[in-house]
Amino acid sequence: KITVQESRGFVVLDVSRRSGSDGKVSVMLRTISTDSALPGTDYLPLETTLEFDHTETSKSVKIELVDQMEYQKLRTFSVELLQTAGGCTLGTVSTAVITIVEDDAVKTLIDKVVAMSDERTGKIREKMETKTWGQQIKEAMTLEEDDEELTNSDYFMHFITMLWKVIFSTVPPTSYGDGWATFVVALMYIALVTALVAELASLFGCCVGLEDSVTAITFVALGTSLPDTLASKTAIEEEEYADAAIGNVMGSNSVNVFLGLGLPWTIASIYKEIQGETYIYPSAGLVFSVIVFILCALCGLCILLVNRKLYG
């Protein structure tokens, strides 16, 4: 049995020739996969023939390991000798079991991160979990002081958002139905608020003489993109590269375009087809907008790849 750390990248096996060294002999060596260690994923499979020259008593074989840069449990695979030639025979030990383990430093670091994540998740779950509607309404109307002292801006934001807090506190508590009731009703509230914002934006555009398309790409787009902007800013501050920020921006818009529009239209088309009617919805400038979005996304990816290639 041989134990090797994954970060080492390889394991070396010594095959010895005993009870004589006259003449030229050979033996075949191959790796055997198991359920825990997979060839190509955890190690590079090997099948070769070792040839011992006259008076040669030892050969070394190098098996490459694949470092997956992630925390995994112990994985094992075997190496066996077979098919001798030249008059030699296999000894009592013809199979070696290789156990791949993680580095102690990596394991300790990941264990700490997991423990901190579990602790933080538990605190968030404990903070978000509610038992009754009364508790939710009370929390919505009360401004609680956490670790930092409350400022005037905190009181101001609480005052102007209290109405929305009270409205959304009518969502069923998370203790009902293992949270499914909260999830479903929250989605319904999001749909209602979205419809309300769209209608108000349309009325505003009508009052000031703006078309719906102009209102959509200015006021509505600004309101829906601000959270993504803040999330991207946080991702850039915490990460070494901007990959997460770029992925957040493009992923959010992709979901809005392809799922936010495609899913309702698909449902409406199926419903109209069942009713024996043809569903026609004017797309206006949707094709042009989607083409512009795809081109901008490709440009962003190309710039990211070129920057990574040139500057690392």
Side-chain angles (χ1 to χ4, degrees):
K1 293 184 178 182
I2 300 176
T3 301
V4 60
Q5 293 183 346
E6 183 183 59
S7 61
R8 185 181 181 186
F10 64 90
V11 58
V12 177
L13 300 179
D14 293 326
V15 181
S16 301
R17 179 184 182 185
R18 298 179 179 178
S19 302
S21 59
D22 293 334
K24 186 177 181 179
V25 297
S26 63
V27 62
M28 180 178 290
L29 178 144
R30 69 178 180 183
T31 55
I32 304 175
S33 62
T34 61
D35 293 337
S36 59
L38 301 177
T41 302
D42 299 300
Y43 66 94
L44 299 183
L46 178 66
E47 183 172 342
T48 185
T49 300
L50 304 179
E51 296 184 351
F52 293 81
D53 293 329
H54 179 63
T55 69
E56 189 176 11
T57 60
S58 179
K59 283 279 187 181
S60 296
V61 179
K62 184 178 181 180
I63 301 176
E64 301 289 341
L65 304 178
V66 179
D67 191 353
Q68 302 182 38
M69 302 299 294
E70 60 183 20
Y71 181 64
Q72 294 179 323
K73 297 180 179 180
L74 300 180
R75 289 146 292 153
T76 61
F77 67 96
S78 301
V79 179
E80 69 171 358
L81 300 176
L82 68 161
Q83 295 183 5
T84 61
C88 65
T89 57
L90 296 177
T92 56
V93 180
S94 59
T95 302
V97 179
I98 313 298
T99 302
I100 305 175
V101 299
E102 295 291 342
D103 290 344
D104 294 338
V106 174
K107 182 178 181 299
T108 302
L109 176 61
I110 294 179
D111 288 342
K112 288 183 178 179
V113 171
V114 171
M116 293 174 61
S117 176
D118 291 342
E119 181 181 358
R120 184 176 180 84
T121 302
K123 291 181 179 179
I124 294 176
R125 185 184 297 111
E126 181 180 353
K127 185 176 181 179
M128 295 182 62
E129 185 177 5
T130 54
K131 301 297 183 181
T132 62
W133 268 291
Q135 179 186 352
Q136 292 184 165
I137 296 175
K138 179 181 178 182
E139 291 178 354
M141 300 181 66
T142 305
L143 186 60
E144 297 181 357
E145 183 176 355
D146 295 331
D147 297 334
E148 300 180 357
E149 184 178 355
L150 297 176
T151 61
N152 293 331
S153 61
D154 294 329
Y155 289 106
F156 176 74
M157 291 302 298
H158 176 69
F159 174 76
I160 65 176
T161 59
M162 181 182 294
L163 175 62
W164 293 105
K165 290 180 178 180
V166 173
I167 293 175
F168 293 135
S169 66
T170 58
V171 174
T174 55
S175 58
Y176 291 6
D178 292 332
W180 282 104
T182 307
F183 177 74
V184 173
V185 176
L187 287 181
M188 296 173 58
Y189 274 35
I190 291 174
L192 292 175
V193 172
T194 302
L196 177 62
V197 171
E199 187 65 24
L200 291 177
S202 178
L203 292 175
F204 175 79
C206 181
C207 293
V208 299
L210 293 177
E211 297 182 0
D212 290 343
S213 58
V214 177
T215 306
I217 63 176
T218 53
F219 298 103
V220 178
L222 180 64
T224 57
S225 298
L226 280 177
D228 294 333
T229 304
L230 297 177
S232 299
K233 175 179 177 295
T234 303
I236 293 175
E237 292 175 347
E238 295 181 355
E239 298 292 337
E240 182 179 1
Y241 302 106
D243 298 26
I246 299 296
N248 175 64
V249 172
M250 293 192 301
S252 174
N253 287 278
S254 298
V255 171
N256 292 336
V257 173
F258 300 114
L259 184 61
L261 294 179
L263 183 60
W265 286 358
T266 301
I267 296 175
S269 300
I270 295 174
Y271 176 77
K272 291 293 185 180
E273 183 68 23
I274 294 175
Q275 298 295 323
E277 303 176 9
T278 301
Y279 177 72
I280 300 176
Y281 189 89
S283 61
L286 179 62
V287 175
F288 175 75
S289 301
V290 172
I291 292 176
V292 172
F293 165 69
I294 293 176
L295 292 177
C296 292
L298 291 176
C299 289
L301 286 176
C302 291
I303 294 174
L304 188 65
L305 292 175
V306 171
N307 181 74
R308 182 66 56 82
K309 187 71 175 178
L310 295 178
Y311 304 103

